[in-house]
Amino acid sequence: MDTSYYVPDKTEAWQNLKRYAQKQGVDVRHEFELDSERSRVFSVRTNELFLDYSKNLINSEIWTDLIALAENSPLQQMKNSMFSGKKINTSENRAVLHTLLRKNQASEIDELDKLLKKVKGQSQNIKKVSERIRSGLWLGVDGKPITDVVNIGIGGSDLGPRLACNALAEFRHPKINTHFVGNVDGAEILSTLNKLDPQRTLIIIASKTFKTQETLMNGNTAIKWLRQNLKIADPQKTDHLIAVTANPNNALEFGVNESNILQFSDWVGGRYSLWSSIGISIAISAGYDRFHEMLVGAQEMDEHFLTAPTGKSMPVALALLSIWYSSFLNLETHAVIPYCERLQLLPSYLQQLAMESNGKSVSRQGQPLDYATSPVIWGQTGTNGQHAFFQLLHQGSHTIPIDFIAACSDAMSTPKHHEALIGNMLAQGSALMLGQSASPSKMHQHYPGNNPSNTILIDKLSAKNFGALIALYEHKVFVEGCIWNINSFDQWGVELGKKMANNLISSEGSLPNLDASTRSLFAHQRARSGMY
């Protein structure tokens, strides 16, 4: 899609915002004094998600120009193109259709309708396999039902399903445990397998290409473990192993039975793949009905994103604030702090979603950018974070925007515990904004305040609301990319390190094209490892 006409930092709105950023900053406390309706004006609700963004460093003039920035960008054109199946991933000449994975009705576009029918078929395979496993009808070679499932993948094939299974722990099958192995560190796969019964273990190898080095190495280790313990030559040909991939031919060459290959399409990006067959572990752990509810919640957020006016769109609000902080106020990091232990992996998941998508420094036309793009995403759960890094948030020299996220009610907690949890979160947001004065002799007790934050409240952490939350951040990242005029759907930045690692691993002692420092480190490791 051609967006060559669009140069964001040359637009009138961008120039206005640049001038605002150079003036004396906004004091949110003063803005609340000026407008008693501020929290109502700067908030938005869709279904069971509520966003309050009134504690941010904006006033009505800044917000008006941020909205104008969005409306004068290719956002609407790109949005229509994405949902209609145009190839907006220009560097790889691919459509971006993760939203089709959760679409619940026929498309008016014939080509999309064909793809949708294929997706529905893949979803039925997820249902069939997961229900057989959950009902105890999926048996190992010794006739015993599966009690442990090990998902082997990396990146989107690991982070999304791992997060979802944790988030939906309330619905976890009482007799089936789900484990995840992502890192090529052998200690992770070996320590996981060593505590399992091979007769009751199912291995899922999840890889889009079925060529991912780390995943296949871990997969081969798992197959060797099955072979040694089950005394069978080819465990990959049994019901102890399932492949999930967009490249079934590679899975067949690996030795997996065709009936045990769950497919998804190559237009599904890795960091958007939990909605696809990659989500089989979610359906096994929480049940296919919950997996489907997750898709429904995401689809509802898709509809909100498609139909809400720019100024009333939750994803647009989050994206514009991120752009304001990153590109204009030069704030380089953004913290995500869920006050829900089951969402402890959300910051890690959003790191990949945001930084792999928008960690770019060239435009869609390949031109260097003169402005900052994605901030560094980080965080952990509250209240743990309060006893780790909140000191810096309150009194440090960095201004760090925060997303606070919590459920209004929690069936897995008690009213007393949940009241304490939510009380802490709301108090932190207020304290960060209001601050506290101190006498000159006690400046160590001074809190400057005026620290920005968003608060997202979910009615409850249901599968549907979890799906909506993840889709919210997907669309936030998309909006950022449209306004920054970058391709959010490729990840060429991971290729060089991968290529060099492959060369080094296969070098057999020679050190091709490595710098002096790396050659020295390689030699030191070999000498000290005792393996050579």
Side-chain angles (χ1 to χ4, degrees), residues 101-133:
L101 296 169
R102 58 239 192 176
K103 190 171 176 62
N104 58 11
Q105 57 189 10
S107 173
E108 296 176 358
I109 302 171
D110 288 344
E111 188 59 35
L112 290 189
D113 202 41
K114 291 177 185 176
L115 294 177
L116 184 59
K117 288 175 181 175
K118 188 175 182 180
V119 166
K120 296 302 180 187
Q122 292 166 353
S123 295
Q124 285 305 304
N125 289 336
I126 297 172
K127 181 178 182 181
K128 180 175 67 174
V129 171
S130 63
E131 289 184 347
R132 276 188 63 199
I133 294 167

Side-chain angles (χ1 to χ4, degrees), residues 39 55 77 90 133 167 188 238 257 265 285 288 313 356 390 395 425 452 468 472 474 514-515 531:
S39 60
K55 294 184 178 74
Q77 180 188 3
T90 50
I133 294 167
E188 184 179 26
T238 71
N257 280 341
S265 299
S285 179
Y288 181 81
S313 169
E356 195 169 75
F390 270 56
Q395 292 185 312
M425 184 189 76
L472 166 64
E474 287 180 347
L514 291 179
D515 61 273
M531 296 171 61

Side-chain angles (χ1 to χ4, degrees), residues 156 159-161 163 271-275 345-354 470 473-474:
L159 284 169
L163 165 63
R271 52 192 176 274
Y272 302 91
S273 63
L274 81 165
W275 319 104
L345 294 174
L346 182 62
S348 296
Y349 178 82
L350 295 181
Q351 282 180 335
Q352 185 196 20
L353 178 63
I470 298 304
Y473 277 98
E474 287 180 347

Side-chain angles (χ1 to χ4, degrees), residues 35-62:
D35 184 2
S36 61
E37 295 291 302
R38 181 177 171 90
S39 60
R40 181 188 62 80
V41 172
F42 293 126
S43 63
V44 60
R45 180 185 182 91
T46 176
N47 294 308
E48 296 187 9
L49 271 65
F50 178 77
L51 166 66
D52 181 322
Y53 57 99
S54 62
K55 294 184 178 74
N56 282 284
L57 304 179
I58 55 171
N59 55 30
S60 58
E61 291 83 6
I62 292 170

Side-chain angles (χ1 to χ4, degrees), residues 379-393:
Q380 74 170 81
T381 53
T383 58
N384 291 344
Q386 293 173 204
H387 298 270
F389 52 81
F390 270 56
Q391 165 65 42
L392 183 147
L393 297 179

Side-chain angles (χ1 to χ4, degrees), residues 160-218:
R162 192 192 292 244
L163 165 63
C165 288
N166 276 9
L168 305 181
E170 180 181 349
F171 314 107
R172 187 176 291 155
H173 193 288
K175 295 182 179 179
I176 298 177
N177 302 306
T178 309
H179 314 268
F180 291 86
V181 174
N183 202 328
V184 75
D185 182 349
E188 184 179 26
I189 181 73
L190 294 175
S191 61
T192 299
L193 296 176
N194 285 342
K195 61 188 177 185
L196 305 181
D197 178 356
Q199 294 181 1
R200 294 177 175 269
T201 299
L202 171 67
I203 304 296
I204 299 173
I205 300 180
S207 170
K208 181 174 179 177
T209 61
F210 227 76
K211 290 182 178 179
T212 311
Q213 180 203 70
E214 300 97 325
T215 298
L216 293 187
M217 182 175 288
N218 282 326

